[in-house]
Amino acid sequence: MERLAINGGKPVRKTPIYYGHQAIDEDDINAVVDVLKSEFLTCGPAVEVLEQKLCTITGAKYAVAVSNGTAALHAACYAADIQSGDEVITTALTFAASSNCILYMDAIPVFADIDPTTYNIDPRSIEEHICEKTKAVIAVDFTGQAAELDKIRSICNKYNLILIEDGAHSIGTKYNDQFVGSIADLTTFSFHPVKTVTGGEGGAILTNDDKFYQKMCLFRSHGITRNVRLMDFTEKYEDIGNDLGGWYYQQIELGYNYRITDIQAALITSQLDKLTRFKLRRKEIEEQYNRAFKSFPGIILQKNVSKSDTVKHIFVIQLDIDKLSVGRKEIYDALKAENICCNVHYIPVYFFPYYKKLGYKQGMCPIAEKLYKRIITIPLYPAMSNEDVDSVIAAVKKVIGFYLK
Ligand SMILES: *Cc1c(COP(=O)(O)O)cnc(C)c1O
């Protein structure tokens, strides 16, 4: 058997490859340069173009572009009118932002467990956690596969809950032939560089609801409006009276500065032109991995959600730990020595000290916790060459093959 790089052997690759990476072409660069030469760097026309494009692509009625995906989740919670003491159900297996946004509202995150095969939030676990304080569900499309939206929607209807979909992984994914963004009451996207489409940073919320849309527009910019129809004139101030000059605005809510720049918006719009290409390439790589690992001992593959036509965001392999002589850390380190730089998605949110201080305890979501100990995210992004893909496959087989019992 070939000697592992971690034991002094020759690494499968000469240069490191990471689990995710942006793909920036000349036209993306030109789109950014055009903005830099234009009149507006922020709050200009590029933001509206992006919002229009997101609506066209997804079929949603409204889009609000914001500074990042976390701000998008915060805005969605605000639009959903989540109040202090409300409970909001989300998955344990996600990035902290999916749950932190609930804390921003002084509300209570309640963690539902996952399906052991698709790793998405389990609708049955959602229903088990519902009580009179429950206000909303934040379902995450883990790895880009849509959550079980039919089932989650009917639970939300039954208990009168708002459905927020954290689509940070799933832009371009379709569920029942409908694009993510047009399905839930509110859907959020992230445009961080590891995501399918990037603006450096950036985010957006999509909705079909006019009231949600108006609220999020205010929320994104301090709660300030120039729209006279929204203004409050019950008090008459001597100095302004009804003298509504062109400068006049009011702050009518407490919002934030969650605006996105035109520089980012132009980059995201340019990237969205390539979404179909990105989707195809991601699918190709996913298929190569599935073929290579399908019957390889020591590896368990994620099961497909049948209604989801997925743009795969990350490729997660589950280690069949009982068949291996070492744990996940040793596999991770050995792959790193082969120059395959993996990651783990995710440490269950309530494992973090901050959540522990709030009273969350290990053992709440046993399926997510068990899975966490067994998963590794291997490189997947459209700019990978076929040689890159082959090197990942070779390294994974080399390392896991070596440690098979
Ligand atoms: C990336 C991510 C976010 C946060 O997005 P940012 O743009 O980094 O703020 C939220 N939820 C999930 C599931 C993510 O992967």
Side-chain angles (χ1 to χ4, degrees):
M1 193 170 285
E2 221 190 317
R3 199 148 157 221
L4 297 188
I6 201 165
N7 296 332
K10 183 167 165 263
V12 167
R13 288 176 59 90
K14 286 206 190 76
T15 55
I17 183 169
Y18 297 91
Y19 81 94
H21 197 275
Q22 69 271 21
I24 302 290
D25 301 323
E26 210 53 44
D27 56 339
D28 298 316
I29 294 166
N30 292 336
V32 170
V33 170
D34 287 347
V35 171
L36 292 173
K37 291 178 178 167
S38 78
E39 196 56 33
F40 292 94
L41 296 187
T42 193
C43 300
V47 177
E48 279 167 40
V49 171
L50 168 61
E51 291 174 342
Q52 191 50 54
K53 184 150 196 134
L54 287 167
C55 289
T56 308
I57 288 175
T58 61
K61 213 160 150 195
Y62 304 105
V64 180
V66 293
S67 48
N68 56 66
T70 306
L73 283 162
H74 192 184
C77 287
Y78 178 83
D81 197 29
I82 290 161
Q83 299 283 330
S84 173
D86 286 344
E87 293 190 0
V88 178
I89 299 172
T90 191
T91 169
L93 199 73
T94 185
F95 183 57
S98 319
S99 157
N100 287 345
C101 62
I102 303 165
L103 295 176
Y104 296 160
M105 310 305 293
D106 197 28
I108 303 163
V110 173
F111 295 100
D113 213 338
I114 57 164
D115 180 292
T117 60
T118 65
Y119 318 153
N120 265 329
I121 192 167
D122 181 351
R124 278 169 308 182
S125 183
I126 293 176
E127 193 155 17
E128 280 164 23
H129 285 90
I130 291 172
C131 70
E132 39 327 321
K133 286 200 278 180
T134 311
K135 184 76 179 268
V137 172
I138 301 180
V140 178
D141 300 324
F142 184 70
T143 72
Q145 285 209 92
E148 299 277 3
L149 295 170
D150 282 348
K151 287 181 189 153
I152 298 170
R153 166 56 74 196
S154 60
I155 292 168
C156 286
N157 288 350
K158 184 169 159 197
Y159 296 94
N160 199 21
L161 310 176
I162 291 174
L163 174 55
I164 299 171
E165 187 175 357
D166 180 345
H169 295 188
S170 61
I171 193 164
T173 289
K174 281 185 188 170
Y175 181 83
N176 279 341
D177 240 13
Q178 217 181 326
F179 274 103
V180 165
S182 64
I183 305 168
D185 297 311
L186 294 142
T187 305
T188 64
F189 290 138
S190 162
F191 303 113
H192 183 274
V194 298
K195 308 293 159 76
T196 295
V197 163
T198 189
E201 297 275 357
I205 318 96
L206 285 84
T207 185
N208 291 325
D209 185 299
D210 179 57
K211 280 207 191 69
F212 289 164
Y213 173 67
Q214 301 292 347
K215 278 185 86 172
M216 293 189 293
C217 288
L218 284 171
F219 187 75
R220 159 174 68 179
S221 194
H222 308 280
I224 284 173
T225 185
R226 292 180 181 274
N227 182 345
V228 176
R229 276 177 297 140
L230 298 178
M231 289 183 184
D232 178 356
F233 293 107
T234 48
E235 295 270 351
K236 294 246 186 336
Y237 300 98
E238 266 176 36
D239 52 342
I240 51 168
N242 277 338
D243 173 25
L244 295 174
W247 68 86
Y248 192 67
Y249 60 82
Q250 282 186 347
Q251 185 195 334
I252 59 173
E253 301 275 335
L254 182 62
Y256 291 76
N257 178 358
Y258 278 165
R259 293 185 306 257
I260 187 169
T261 65
D262 280 48
I263 304 165
Q264 293 163 284
L267 176 53
I268 298 162
T269 302
S270 170
Q271 290 254 299
L272 284 170
D273 285 336
K274 289 171 261 200
L275 184 56
T276 307
R277 200 180 90 207
F278 288 166
K279 172 176 184 162
L280 290 175
R281 182 63 183 145
R282 283 180 177 275
K283 265 192 191 295
E284 263 172 27
I285 299 169
E286 179 192 6
E287 277 161 21
Q288 288 179 61
Y289 283 160
N290 279 334
R291 231 179 296 125
F293 302 137
K294 195 170 57 201
S295 44
F296 196 82
I299 296 177
I300 300 168
L301 292 174
Q302 182 185 13
K303 203 177 134 201
N304 290 339
V305 172
S306 56
K307 292 177 184 171
S308 177
D309 175 14
T310 301
V311 180
K312 196 75 163 200
H313 163 53
I314 47 176
F315 198 95
V316 172
I317 55 173
Q318 184 186 163
L319 303 172
D320 195 353
I321 286 293
D322 300 336
K323 295 205 172 81
L324 301 172
S325 58
V326 292
R328 185 254 314 268
K329 183 181 181 305
E330 287 79 4
I331 303 283
Y332 173 93
D333 289 342
L335 284 168
K336 188 148 187 229
E338 304 291 345
N339 276 323
I340 312 294
C341 301
C342 297
N343 205 337
V344 172
H345 295 93
Y346 290 96
I347 304 166
V349 176
Y350 59 81
F351 278 25
F352 295 129
Y354 186 83
Y355 279 82
K356 250 182 229 165
K357 263 192 303 186
L358 295 177
Y360 293 90
K361 291 192 173 58
Q362 292 202 14
M364 288 184 347
C365 298
I367 302 169
E369 292 181 20
K370 181 178 174 201
L371 185 76
Y372 161 63
K373 293 189 191 127
R374 305 159 64 109
I375 45 178
I376 289 188
T377 304
I378 63 174
L380 170 62
Y381 54 90
M384 283 174 80
S385 66
N386 287 335
E387 293 72 41
D388 289 331
V389 177
D390 290 344
S391 72
V392 174
I393 292 171
V396 168
K397 286 185 167 176
K398 179 182 173 189
V399 166
I400 294 186
F402 180 86
Y403 288 119
L404 277 174
K405 274 185 190 161

